Amino acid sequence: MEASRKIVIAHRGASGYLPEHTLAGYAMAYALGADYLEPDLVSTRDGELICCHDIHLDRTTDVAVRYPARARSDGRWYAADFTLDEVRTLHARERVDETGARVFPGRFDANARGFGVPTFTELLDLVAALNRQTGRRVGVYPETKSPEFHAAAGLALEPTLLALLAEYGYTGRDAPVFVQSFSPTNLRVMREEMRSELPMIQLIGHTELEADWITPAGLDAIASYADGIGPDKTLIVESEGALVQAAHDRGLLVHPYTFRADQLGPGYNNLRAELAAFYFDYDVDGVFTDFCDIAGALLHPDRGGALSAAP
């Protein structure tokens, strides 16, 4: 595929530079030339979709400080237990692990204020306004997080997601959107039961179940309800690129994850080299990256260079 047709997916926004899933991070990713902005979506108690990678709030916000008594018995604070008004009181921050240590120590100031948890509607408003202003056609790439958890809680994600996308003009096969999920059931519900024609991507990780998805029979099944796969990038390396060819043979796009300048794949000295290998040697159609400027500079050198000091 020609470089001009390959895409850059801003993974949780410009999360190499600003806290993930914040409006500032999404706006920066847009400015850095991303083709798609990727929000992970979870539901609040009152059924509002918010941009957050986890069904929990404690690793990326100050919820434990503001609402110390609201943790469940497992010690986690669940978005589904909070109203949108309550979520709006939280400060978003750089991700920490279960010990409170920063996952990416070299990134944005973990103590900085001024970042909130946006709704999906706010992201859609931002993209629409920027597209009007610039004349670009940047799309969105929402992921439904833990759809089975939400369904069991009476907070099904699919109806709200599809209704919001339709409200903002994302309808039909050519809409600048990809709906992604690790759940085949979730994608099948939207495609087969809800009759959505929107492009859909089956995410693939490293579980025993998912190992069957990258077999010929598994890819045939995915091609019956999805438009592409989003595999962990190591699956492509392990197959020596055969997974990409097998997917392409079935008309499936391939968008691997996740490419980071501060978390390189084995054998690469810098992110540009890793991205070049995947874009041009493995011939993937797009990548999820925290550093969309580096990917954009590689695909479209005429648009300017990368912001990152990382080579």
Side-chain angles (χ1 to χ4, degrees):
M1 179 178 286
E2 297 175 1
S4 61
R5 297 179 59 193
K6 295 176 183 288
I7 64 171
V8 178
I9 307 155
H11 183 245
R12 311 180 198 174
S15 46
Y17 303 108
L18 289 173
E20 66 183 61
H21 294 313
T22 59
L23 287 180
Y26 291 129
M28 186 174 190
Y30 189 105
L32 292 177
D35 298 298
Y36 286 82
L37 306 184
E38 189 233 8
D40 298 306
L41 301 179
V42 302
S43 179
T44 63
R45 190 174 70 197
D46 45 351
E48 297 288 341
L49 296 184
I50 58 173
C51 302
C52 182
H53 181 261
D54 311 311
I55 59 174
H56 315 107
L57 296 167
D58 40 286
R59 300 286 166 80
T60 55
T61 77
D62 61 348
V63 66
V65 174
R66 290 183 174 269
Y67 298 98
R70 298 279 291 278
R72 292 193 185 185
S73 58
D74 61 1
R76 305 300 301 273
W77 283 256
Y78 287 72
D81 295 336
F82 292 81
T83 66
L84 178 59
D85 284 345
E86 290 171 330
V87 170
R88 290 195 187 282
T89 70
L90 304 177
H91 290 292
R93 66 182 183 193
E94 283 287 336
R95 176 172 293 276
V96 298
D97 64 18
E98 63 276 5
T99 71
R102 297 181 65 184
V103 173
F104 297 100
R107 294 191 180 183
F108 200 80
D109 182 356
N111 298 313
R113 296 300 184 97
F115 301 99
V117 179
T119 65
F120 186 42
T121 299
E122 288 169 334
L123 172 58
L124 293 172
D125 282 335
L126 176 69
V127 173
L130 288 171
N131 280 343
R132 285 194 300 271
Q133 185 73 16
T134 64
R136 295 173 63 194
R137 195 170 182 254
V138 171
V140 293
Y141 206 127
E143 179 185 348
T144 53
K145 300 299 291 191
S146 302
E148 290 81 9
F149 165 86
H150 285 96
L155 296 167
L157 301 174
E158 299 92 345
T160 306
L161 170 59
L162 294 182
L164 278 173
L165 288 172
E167 179 183 341
Y168 281 80
Y170 294 92
T171 58
R173 302 291 301 153
D174 296 326
V177 61
F178 289 99
V179 178
Q180 55 170 328
S181 181
F182 279 100
S183 168
T185 301
N186 176 239
L187 295 179
R188 283 186 178 276
V189 164
M190 288 185 281
R191 174 75 84 218
E192 298 169 0
E193 297 181 19
M194 303 181 74
R195 303 297 183 185
S196 175
E197 295 183 342
L198 295 178
M200 296 185 187
I201 300 292
Q202 176 66 64
L203 298 174
I204 304 175
H206 266 288
T207 67
E208 184 176 344
L209 171 64
E210 289 166 304
D212 289 336
W213 300 356
I214 59 175
T215 64
L219 291 172
D220 286 341
I222 290 171
S224 72
Y225 64 85
D227 301 276
I229 59 172
D232 184 313
K233 63 184 181 182
T234 60
L235 294 173
I236 293 175
V237 176
E238 291 167 2
S239 75
E240 298 182 339
L243 175 57
V244 178
Q245 185 60 55
H248 284 169
D249 288 345
R250 291 161 174 80
L252 294 168
L253 298 168
V254 182
H255 297 161
Y257 65 89
T258 304
F259 294 82
R260 300 178 170 107
D262 45 6
Q263 193 178 66
L264 296 170
Y268 297 104
N269 295 321
N270 59 70
L271 182 57
R272 182 182 175 88
E274 185 178 15
L275 288 169
F278 277 81
Y279 273 131
F280 305 124
D281 297 335
Y282 292 128
D283 196 29
V284 302
D285 306 290
V287 303
F288 292 88
T289 179
D290 292 6
F291 296 85
C292 51
D293 57 315
I294 298 177
L298 180 66
L299 290 184
H300 311 292
D302 55 310
R303 295 182 186 175
L307 172 69
S308 176

